[in-house]
Amino acid sequence: MAAVGAVRPSRLWLLCLCAALLPRGARGLTEGLYCGRRVCYEVLGVSRQASKAEIARAYRQLARKYHPDRYRGEAGGGPQAAHEKFLLIATAYETLKDEETRKDYDYMLDHPEEYYRHYYHYYSRRLAPKVDVRIVILVTVCAISVFQFFSWWSSYNEAINYLATVPKYRIQATEIARQQGLLNKTKEKGKNRRSKEEIREEEEEIIKDIIKNKIDIKGGYQKPKIYDILLFQILLAPFYLCKYVAWYCWWIYCFTIKGQEYGVEEKLYIIRRYMKMSQSQFDSLEDHQKETFLERQLWIRENYEVYKREQEEELKKKMAMDPRWKRYRRWMKNEGPGRLTFIDD
């Protein structure tokens, strides 16, 4: 009996320790979640079956009573106590006015032992973004697309303004304008007569318009297209993907399975892939360069490797004859970044 009596106090201490280590949520309301140790319904003085209108009415009444700007001491406890009471009332109202938050709170009241679940739902809703992420992404993509389009348009206008100053293109555009009768207008008289500056500006615009219509600018300064901006590229991505898959299947069927000969477009495509150039970069090349590629049959891998070595050797010769490259090599040899020098005191 003495042994049994000695064991019982140890078991009692063990039970007390386990009770102390249990999550606080298993013993009731948790401080830091919703209204803390207070029940939000009791804070507003409503029942759990209260409607939204009843909750809002109770909140307005208590807010007028405990608002710091309207507090006159009738609530008791001093201004600081009234301020804390007002914050508790606002927290209770924020908890109960939203259907989803109120549903989570009611579940916590009915199942206080699910401590970690309550913490997860509370902070997941509190830290969740107020604005839909999809809207943020859409607005960002639209802003980037607008900036992209106007940036391209600015570059295109800069190219047109530069070409209008080049004598070769300016003379050709002027001749075309005269042939079309755009510069052969009779002199204006009377009130409709314009100044020389206005006439010069009009002629300049006519020349620029002819350059825009007659010259095909390629590369980074080409005329921007609405379908090239990021927004349309994302929207048309499924179409481009299906188109590429269909084209790739056609390529395998025609040239791998059936063994057909390559056409001109197919040969230029293979050459462009060997050169690792984008479509816009390849389109900016002169026509005689593309004809040279076809004459040398660069779509054949062995021919392209020979051409590549020739270009590398030619580049080395040009660099060897370039005075600036000679100075650079001399500097790298004598005083380059890898050279260490010491100053003797």
Side-chain angles (χ1 to χ4, degrees), residues 15-34:
L15 291 175
C16 293
L17 180 62
C18 293
L21 294 177
L22 281 174
R24 291 179 296 174
R27 293 176 286 166
L29 299 174
T30 305
E31 193 69 36
L33 298 184
Y34 304 106

Side-chain angles (χ1 to χ4, degrees), residues 27-79:
R27 293 176 286 166
L29 299 174
T30 305
E31 193 69 36
L33 298 184
Y34 304 106
C35 297
R37 295 293 184 179
R38 300 286 302 276
V39 179
C40 293
Y41 293 101
E42 296 178 358
V43 172
L44 296 180
V46 296
S47 64
R48 291 186 60 173
Q49 291 75 30
S51 62
K52 281 188 175 182
E54 294 173 346
I55 292 173
R57 190 183 309 111
Y59 167 72
R60 287 193 295 268
Q61 293 175 356
L62 293 174
R64 284 194 298 266
K65 183 178 181 180
Y66 290 98
H67 196 281
D69 296 338
R70 296 188 176 186
Y71 176 72
R72 295 294 182 270
E74 65 275 7

Side-chain angles (χ1 to χ4, degrees), residues 176-234:
I176 294 174
R178 288 174 179 172
Q179 292 175 4
Q180 295 179 355
L182 300 176
L183 300 180
N184 296 331
K185 295 182 179 179
T186 57
K187 295 183 178 181
E188 300 173 347
K189 298 180 180 180
K191 296 181 180 180
N192 296 328
R193 185 177 181 180
R194 295 175 297 172
S195 63
K196 293 182 179 180
E197 186 66 24
E198 293 176 348
I199 296 174
R200 190 180 302 109
E201 291 179 358
E202 182 182 1
E203 292 178 353
E204 192 70 21
E205 291 297 327
I206 293 173
I207 292 174
K208 290 180 180 179
D209 290 338
I210 292 175
I211 292 176
K212 289 180 182 179
N213 297 326
K214 298 298 181 179
I215 297 180
D216 185 15
I217 302 176
K218 298 179 181 179
Y221 292 91
Q222 63 182 356
K223 188 175 183 179
K225 298 178 182 179
I226 194 68
Y227 295 103
D228 292 335
I229 63 177
L230 179 61
L231 178 61
F232 281 93
Q233 290 294 313
I234 294 175

Side-chain angles (χ1 to χ4, degrees), residues 1-198:
M1 294 295 293
V4 174
V7 173
R8 286 178 179 175
S10 62
R11 290 183 177 178
L12 181 61
W13 281 105
L14 181 60
L15 291 175
C16 293
L17 180 62
C18 293
L21 294 177
L22 281 174
R24 291 179 296 174
R27 293 176 286 166
L29 299 174
T30 305
E31 193 69 36
L33 298 184
Y34 304 106
C35 297
R37 295 293 184 179
R38 300 286 302 276
V39 179
C40 293
Y41 293 101
E42 296 178 358
V43 172
L44 296 180
V46 296
S47 64
R48 291 186 60 173
Q49 291 75 30
S51 62
K52 281 188 175 182
E54 294 173 346
I55 292 173
R57 190 183 309 111
Y59 167 72
R60 287 193 295 268
Q61 293 175 356
L62 293 174
R64 284 194 298 266
K65 183 178 181 180
Y66 290 98
H67 196 281
D69 296 338
R70 296 188 176 186
Y71 176 72
R72 295 294 182 270
E74 65 275 7
Q80 183 63 28
H83 178 70
E84 295 177 357
K85 181 70 174 179
F86 177 77
L87 294 179
L88 183 61
I89 293 170
T91 303
Y93 178 67
E94 291 293 329
T95 302
L96 300 180
K97 74 175 184 177
D98 182 69
E99 290 292 339
E100 296 298 327
T101 307
R102 183 179 180 181
K103 183 178 179 181
D104 291 340
Y105 182 70
D106 290 340
Y107 187 86
M108 188 188 75
L109 295 178
D110 297 333
H111 304 84
E113 71 280 357
E114 299 183 14
Y115 175 78
Y116 298 107
R117 182 186 185 278
H118 304 325
Y119 253 97
Y120 169 75
H121 281 275
Y122 175 77
Y123 283 104
S124 63
R125 291 191 182 279
R126 188 173 183 179
L127 301 178
K130 301 300 181 182
V131 182
D132 193 347
V133 178
R134 293 170 295 183
I135 298 177
V136 176
I137 295 175
L138 179 61
V139 172
T140 304
V141 171
C142 292
I144 294 174
S145 301
V146 171
F147 174 78
Q148 192 179 37
F149 182 77
F150 282 102
S151 176
W152 287 348
W153 193 262
S154 177
S155 299
Y156 175 71
N157 288 331
E158 289 180 3
I160 294 298
N161 293 334
Y162 170 74
L163 293 176
T165 60
V166 177
K168 174 184 176 181
Y169 301 109
R170 187 175 184 86
I171 293 173
Q172 293 179 0
T174 304
E175 291 295 329
I176 294 174
R178 288 174 179 172
Q179 292 175 4
Q180 295 179 355
L182 300 176
L183 300 180
N184 296 331
K185 295 182 179 179
T186 57
K187 295 183 178 181
E188 300 173 347
K189 298 180 180 180
K191 296 181 180 180
N192 296 328
R193 185 177 181 180
R194 295 175 297 172
S195 63
K196 293 182 179 180
E197 186 66 24
E198 293 176 348

